[in-house]
């Protein structure tokens, strides 16, 4: 068996962590459990991550990187409406295909007393709010959207609605297509914004 380099091993640890979370919830994630699943020692895990919190923080960064990579350059063209839908579709596609990520990203209880994790999620959230608000402002400037509503506050409506859909999806045991439901909600919000 080929030996993994540092980046490959870290990715393996992150992906194994996500699988453990998917199967048993975040409470089942321990360094011992990760090591057992991979078939390496706990010390081998600690060579790459100082603790479980660092692994969770890496999962958040992994999510952000994969999400950025999933936004095809063509998604950055077209109407504001098309670009908002493309951004939301990329988010929902990623979560639909990686439900364990939703368990990490949308689990405030694990961030409550961990400032480094809270900061990582806050930064991720702020990037999404800023991106959606910028698109809404552009739509307002082009006359596509109503101007009498603050774009920054509208961004909260978009992300808050999606968050509720994702949380409902998680709590229902991933029993419905989160992308379809999320697209409907976004469609309704955009129709309310149109001039």
């Amino acid at each position: 068996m080929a030996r993994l380099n540092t980046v490959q091993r870290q990715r393996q640890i992150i992906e194994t962590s996500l699988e453990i979370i998917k199967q048993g919830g975040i409470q089942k994630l321990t360094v011992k459990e990760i090591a057992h699943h991979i078939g390496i020692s706990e010390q081998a895990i600690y060579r790459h991550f100082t603790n479980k919190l660092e692994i969770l923080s890496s999962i958040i960064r992994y999510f952000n990187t994969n999400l950025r990579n999933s936004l095809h350059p063509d998604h950055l063209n077209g109407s504001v409406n098309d670009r908002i839908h493309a951004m939301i579709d990329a988010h929902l596609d990623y979560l639909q295909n990686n439900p364990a990520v939703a368990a990490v990203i949308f689990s405030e209880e694990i961030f409550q007393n961990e400032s480094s994790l809270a900061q990582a999620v806050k930064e991720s959230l702020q990037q999404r709010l800023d991106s959606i608000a910028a698109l809404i402002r552009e739509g307002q400037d082009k006359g596509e959207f109503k101007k009498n509503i603050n774009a920054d506050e509208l961004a909260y409506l978009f992300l808050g609605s999606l968050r509720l859909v994702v949380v409902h999806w998680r709590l229902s045991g991933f029993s419905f297509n989160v992308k379809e439901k999320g697209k409907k909600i976004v469609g309704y919000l955009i129709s309310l914004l149109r001039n």
Side-chain angles (χ1 to χ4, degrees):
M1 186 165 88
R3 186 179 168 128
L4 300 179
N5 67 33
T6 299
V7 172
Q8 291 169 325
R9 180 66 78 192
Q10 288 173 337
R11 187 175 306 123
Q12 181 187 40
I13 293 167
I14 290 168
E15 289 173 356
T16 301
S17 298
L18 286 169
E19 190 57 35
I20 291 167
I21 293 167
K22 181 180 175 184
Q23 292 173 4
I26 208 154
Q27 62 277 10
K28 295 284 185 186
L29 183 68
T30 64
V31 172
K32 182 177 184 173
E33 192 67 19
I34 297 165
H36 172 73
H37 272 70
I38 295 175
I40 59 176
S41 69
E42 288 180 55
Q43 284 300 6
I45 304 283
Y46 287 120
R47 281 196 283 271
H48 299 281
F49 297 98
T50 55
N51 55 35
K52 176 179 158 178
L53 292 176
E54 190 176 356
I55 294 168
L56 289 169
S57 186
S58 293
I59 288 171
I60 295 164
R61 286 192 304 277
Y62 183 74
F63 165 70
N64 288 332
T65 300
N66 285 330
L67 193 56
R68 258 192 316 277
N69 293 342
S70 71
L71 280 170
H72 191 274
D74 291 344
H75 295 158
L76 305 175
N77 300 319
S79 71
V80 173
N81 179 47
D82 291 344
R83 287 184 285 150
I84 289 174
H85 276 288
M87 181 190 303
I88 300 304
D89 284 354
H91 279 74
L92 294 172
D93 270 339
Y94 188 79
L95 293 173
Q96 181 82 40
N97 294 325
N98 301 279
V101 173
V104 175
I105 300 297
F106 296 104
S107 293
E108 290 89 1
E109 64 275 4
I110 65 171
F111 307 125
Q112 225 169 12
N113 299 316
E114 300 300 336
S115 60
S116 63
L117 287 178
Q119 185 63 31
V121 171
K122 181 181 166 196
E123 288 169 7
S124 176
L125 177 62
Q126 191 60 54
Q127 288 171 357
R128 277 144 195 73
L129 285 168
D130 292 345
S131 297
I132 291 173
L135 284 170
I136 293 169
R137 271 192 289 281
E138 183 181 338
Q140 289 172 327
D141 292 343
K142 290 180 175 180
E144 293 177 37
F145 297 152
K146 296 174 184 171
K147 292 185 178 189
N148 62 340
I149 308 172
N150 182 288
D152 293 316
E153 292 168 5
L154 285 171
Y156 278 98
L157 283 175
F158 274 85
L159 285 186
S161 298
L162 288 177
R163 177 181 183 75
L164 182 59
V165 169
V166 172
V167 169
H168 181 227
W169 175 61
R170 275 184 50 227
L171 294 175
S172 68
F174 311 106
S175 64
F176 61 88
N177 186 312
V178 72
K179 183 177 177 182
E180 283 179 20
K181 185 75 160 176
K183 283 179 78 157
K184 281 183 186 175
I185 300 293
V186 169
Y188 294 140
L189 288 171
I190 288 175
S191 69
L192 293 171
L193 280 178
R194 286 190 189 285
N195 265 330

